[in-house]
Amino acid sequence: MTAVDSGAAVVGADELLGLYEQMAVIRRTEKAAHDLFLAGLVKGTTHLAAGHEAVAVGASAALRPDDYVFATYRGHHHAMARGATPAECLAELMSKGTGLCKAKGGSMHLTKASAGMLGSYAIVGAHLPLAAGAAWSARLRGSGQVAVAFFGDGATNIGAFHEALNLSAVWALPVLFICENNLYMEYTPIGEVTAVANPAADRAPGYGIPAEVIDGNDVVVVKDAVHRAAELARSGGGPTVIEALTYRHFGHSRTDPGAYRPAEEVERWMQRDPLELARARLQVHGVPGESVTAADERAARIVAEAVAEAKAAPGPDPHDAFTDVWADGGSAWRT
Amino acid sequence: MADMITYREAVAEGLARELRRDSSVVCLGEDIGAAGGVFKTTSGLFAEFGKERVWDTPISEQAILGVAMGAAMTGMRPVAEIMFSDFFACCWDYLANEIPKMRYMTGGQVTVPLVVRTANGGGLGFGAQHSQAVENWTLAIPGLKIAAPSNPADVVGLMAAAIRSDDPVVFFEHKGLFASKGPAAPEGHVVELGKAAVAREGSDVSLVALAATVPMALAAADLLAADGISAEVIDLRCLVPLDMATVLASVGRTSRLVIVEENPFQGGWGGTVASIVADEGFELLDAPIRRVAAACVPLPFADALEQLVIPTVDGVVKAARTLVAY
Ligand SMILES: Cc1ncc(C[n+]2csc(CCOP(=O)(O)OP(=O)(O)O)c2C)c(N)n1
Ligand SMILES: [Mg+2]
């Protein structure tokens, strides 16, 4: 770990402790999701974001409550950073009626529209134009909101990425494209299939969009970069591409052990755990160790209670298989 | 007699009425602005409403539908144009995976009130990649409403209903009908989605049609009348919601059914209509159900060949005669 300053210019001690606790909650929720999957209580699939916490929490800290966020199937951290509770996320994963999406979405589609978290999308790259559209809408309504699309490195090779960047630049839309570059798609390194070193940032100049490559594991750095990009967007300066370098702690999905990743590389990135980095900054801030321990304990308690709550929740309402297709709540397609 | 306008003018009129009525309506698409659209269906809109309401886009079908969806999720009522319906294949993810599923997947948290307009169908000699009738593609996806008007007044009335709908609507404008004329729509005209029209009453055979096959069925009905056969023509207007009540009631009167559809026989919408009638209207029938649909080949370029592949008035007349003689 490199020496750090406190980052006090961006984040004060109290706020940083709060961001740390949010990251700790996400980390423990992801660990719980993993354990629940192994226990057979989470069906289907999960794509855990442990290791990516600083991107979501740092970005959220820089955004207004009414800004819009669009995430991928690896999106638990974004749902929670925007205010979804661990209990409603875990309930969704566990097919419970109290889940965020009434158990109709699942791990890959966590959504909390009331908090501006407008969905998690499982078709790689599909949501970048959606974020551009939300930004276009904000501009048309003169609301001053920005929209943010979070996406993986793999999404930079799909057409929708390029169409979204070009249109957003041409229309000067208040949208941020934040790539969580974790070096891998599912199992193949992004570097093996991409002609440039930084798959998102190196493409941005081709669309006349400013770009920045940042340490995505440092919550202070993320907040700073997102804050600047959001200000630019709000003032009519158009989109920014932020490529946040990060690393996943689990495999790609389900029980993938990630055996394709060199041990030395894993080790190096574990040294750069976002929680460790934040702890180091807190120390420089002079925040007492007991305060950090207390934050960890609160996080542990919140997640333990969330697991218990989700486990105890009822299953989905059978009636809901046939609701919510249309805006009238129903699914009738013929007379 | 009421003023007559073309189907093409009706598209622009339908859009203009909603743009005037509701400031959250906004149009986007390729060449729809100052150019007025490649089919001139957005003619005059840019001049009246300006560039903040009528947006020219790059040739980016995914971005067009994706941006429309994101705007629809956040308070706007976008009307996106995909120049030719064949290009749905270039943005199919949005039509198949994103737009129709968002509301359901989120447990009802999000609505997507948008309209996707597109020029559909053959008869103009544009070849296999610009002539398809692809309404059946969209019928395969639960979560999309589908309108396909056959005349100028319905264009205006269904456009109003589609834009005001809180659900996503795919709006098929038929290329072969753009130049056709009909009575103008009265002020405030709205045609509720999912209500078929009896375009001509008859007692011997029901011809169920959509968009360009409606005038085809009406022409066939004229010829059949000369033979003493009374054909009823049902204009479905929409595929979703599908007005089977009107179809079944018509078959109850005529006891014979010919379905006239421009999409290919294989996987065409007539298969759905036929299966419901066979199931729920079996007792009403005095003859087999006959489908007149496009042949299962890519559409050829030459008129002489295209006419052999897509439904024709003659084909409808023959099918109806066969059933009446059954
Ligand atoms: C269009 C599309 N192609 C392929 C897939 C299958 N798939 C799911 S995740 C994934 C890897 C994506 O990698 P990246 O964008 O780097 O995101 P990460 O999983 O690393 O967060 C692939 C190929 C998909 N869901 N969508
Ligand atoms: Mg990746």
Side-chain angles (χ1 to χ4, degrees):
Chain A
M1 194 186 307
T2 48
V4 290
D5 65 29
S6 68
V10 179
V11 181
D14 286 351
E15 185 188 358
L16 184 56
L17 188 59
L19 300 184
Y20 173 81
E21 186 172 323
Q22 280 187 51
M23 294 199 291
V25 168
I26 294 170
R27 173 67 55 86
R28 286 170 190 275
T29 306
E30 294 297 67
K31 174 72 170 65
H34 185 72
D35 294 345
L36 291 164
F37 187 89
L38 292 179
L41 296 174
V42 170
K43 294 285 164 34
T45 187
T46 58
H47 300 78
L48 302 176
H52 289 222
E53 294 90 347
V55 182
V57 171
S60 225
L63 295 174
R64 281 181 6 192
D66 63 341
D67 287 334
Y68 299 118
V69 163
F70 296 77
T72 74
Y73 51 86
R74 191 183 309 287
H76 302 174
H77 54 328
H78 294 299
M80 285 184 270
R82 290 295 286 190
T85 65
E88 57 195 359
C89 292
L90 290 173
E92 183 68 22
L93 270 61
M94 294 168 76
S95 307
K96 299 302 181 90
T98 57
L100 269 179
C101 305
K102 302 187 209 163
K104 293 163 84 163
S107 164
M108 296 202 284
H109 301 296
L110 296 187
T111 301
K112 181 138 181 152
S114 61
M117 200 286 175
L118 288 186
S120 304
Y121 296 81
I123 308 296
V124 167
H127 59 304
L128 276 74
L130 270 55
W136 181 49
S137 156
R139 189 185 137 180
L140 290 167
R141 288 179 287 109
S143 67
Q145 294 160 290
V146 303
V148 184
F150 295 96
F151 53 95
D153 42 280
T156 63
N157 290 321
I158 203 158
F161 167 88
H162 297 271
E163 292 193 12
L165 261 63
N166 180 59
L167 189 72
S168 301
V170 172
W171 289 3
L173 298 178
V175 56
L176 278 53
F177 297 106
I178 303 185
C179 177
E180 293 172 60
N181 182 354
N182 60 13
L183 312 187
Y184 292 83
M185 300 180 290
E186 293 194 36
Y187 315 117
T188 305
I190 188 67
E192 285 185 14
V193 296
T194 310
V196 291
N198 288 111
D202 288 350
R203 263 70 173 267
Y207 299 104
I209 298 178
E212 201 172 337
V213 179
I214 65 167
D215 181 351
N217 281 8
D218 188 332
V219 72
V220 174
V221 167
V222 174
K223 183 187 173 190
D224 178 46
V226 174
H227 176 76
R228 284 184 283 106
E231 287 307 295
L232 179 69
R234 282 190 229 284
S235 66
T240 297
V241 169
I242 294 173
E243 182 170 328
L245 302 178
T246 187
Y247 204 72
R248 51 174 153 76
H249 285 190
F250 291 102
H252 170 69
S253 66
R254 294 165 60 94
T255 55
D256 167 30
Y260 44 88
R261 303 194 300 186
E264 168 280 320
E265 178 187 283
V266 175
E267 183 53 32
R268 183 155 36 88
W269 278 94
M270 289 303 173
Q271 299 289 318
R272 299 194 42 74
D273 182 332
L275 291 170
E276 293 291 339
L277 287 182
R279 267 198 289 269
R281 284 207 189 268
L282 286 165
Q283 201 174 8
V284 181
H285 260 297
V287 173
E290 309 85 77
S291 301
V292 179
T293 307
D296 278 321
E297 285 168 359
R298 276 193 302 276
R301 197 168 58 242
I302 288 168
V303 176
E305 285 169 9
V307 170
E309 187 182 327
K311 277 185 176 167
D317 181 345
H319 171 73
D320 275 337
F322 305 101
T323 62
D324 300 326
V325 174
W326 308 124
D328 68 7
S331 58
W333 65 279
R334 54 160 288 207
T335 56
Chain B
M1 173 142 191
D3 289 345
M4 301 291 278
I5 64 166
T6 63
Y7 186 102
R8 181 194 322 280
E9 288 162 347
V11 174
E13 172 66 16
L15 290 167
R17 289 186 185 187
E18 294 309 301
L19 281 159
R20 272 177 218 132
R21 201 184 62 85
D22 181 352
S23 64
S24 68
V25 177
V26 58
C27 297
L28 72 163
E30 295 160 16
D31 297 310
I32 70 163
V38 293
F39 295 106
K40 299 292 170 248
T41 46
T42 55
S43 197
L45 299 183
F46 190 76
E48 179 174 351
F49 301 100
K51 64 179 172 47
E52 289 294 303
R53 304 290 302 283
V54 183
W55 291 68
D56 276 320
T57 67
I59 306 168
S60 299
E61 277 74 16
Q62 298 189 63
I64 292 169
L65 292 198
V67 160
M69 178 175 169
M73 289 165 66
T74 54
M76 302 302 292
R77 289 188 180 269
V79 181
E81 175 178 311
I82 297 297
M83 190 185 284
F84 284 79
S85 62
D86 312 70
F87 309 161
F88 277 6
C90 305
C91 48
W92 191 237
D93 180 42
Y94 293 91
L95 287 163
N97 289 321
E98 313 297 340
I99 291 167
K101 296 183 169 55
M102 197 59 204
R103 187 175 165 79
Y104 187 87
M105 285 198 311
T106 62
Q109 292 181 61
V110 176
T111 52
V112 189
L114 60 76
V115 176
V116 180
R117 298 175 40 243
T118 191
N120 190 48
L124 297 185
F126 286 165
Q129 296 178 338
H130 288 72
S131 301
Q132 296 170 86
V134 304
E135 59 272 14
N136 60 324
W137 295 4
T138 47
L139 183 59
I141 309 294
L144 296 174
K145 293 194 169 168
I146 306 169
S150 70
N151 61 72
D154 277 3
V155 167
V156 172
L158 287 169
M159 185 76 79
I163 293 175
R164 296 176 200 187
S165 165
D166 287 334
D167 297 312
V169 180
V170 181
F171 194 91
F172 288 102
E173 297 160 11
H174 201 286
K175 292 194 285 289
L177 296 178
F178 281 140
S180 66
K181 286 194 168 173
E187 256 333 292
H189 187 53
V190 180
V191 174
E192 191 186 335
L193 299 177
K195 291 269 178 277
V198 179
R200 173 181 176 132
E201 290 184 359
S203 53
D204 295 326
V205 58
S206 299
L207 309 178
V208 171
L210 182 77
T213 68
V214 173
M216 184 182 295
L218 288 169
D222 279 342
L223 295 176
L224 290 164
D227 290 356
I229 296 172
S230 165
E232 177 149 301
V233 177
I234 304 296
D235 179 350
L236 278 180
R237 288 173 161 160
C238 290
L239 292 179
V240 178
L242 183 62
D243 187 359
M244 286 308 298
T246 295
V247 174
L248 286 162
S250 176
V251 174
R253 289 189 288 274
T254 64
S255 75
R256 296 177 191 87
L257 173 61
V258 177
I259 300 164
V260 194
E261 51 190 315
E262 190 178 325
N263 57 203
F265 190 95
Q266 97 191 47
W269 57 260
T272 298
V273 173
S275 77
I276 294 171
V277 174
D279 182 359
E280 298 169 24
F282 188 73
E283 307 284 311
L284 306 172
L285 291 165
D286 284 334
I289 299 167
R290 188 58 60 90
R291 289 175 61 202
V292 178
C296 299
V297 297
L299 286 168
F301 159 67
D303 287 348
L305 299 178
E306 196 183 36
Q307 286 306 302
L308 297 172
V309 168
I310 60 179
T312 58
V313 173
D314 274 358
V316 178
V317 168
K318 278 198 191 92
R321 280 196 187 123
T322 313
L323 295 193
V324 171
Y326 181 79

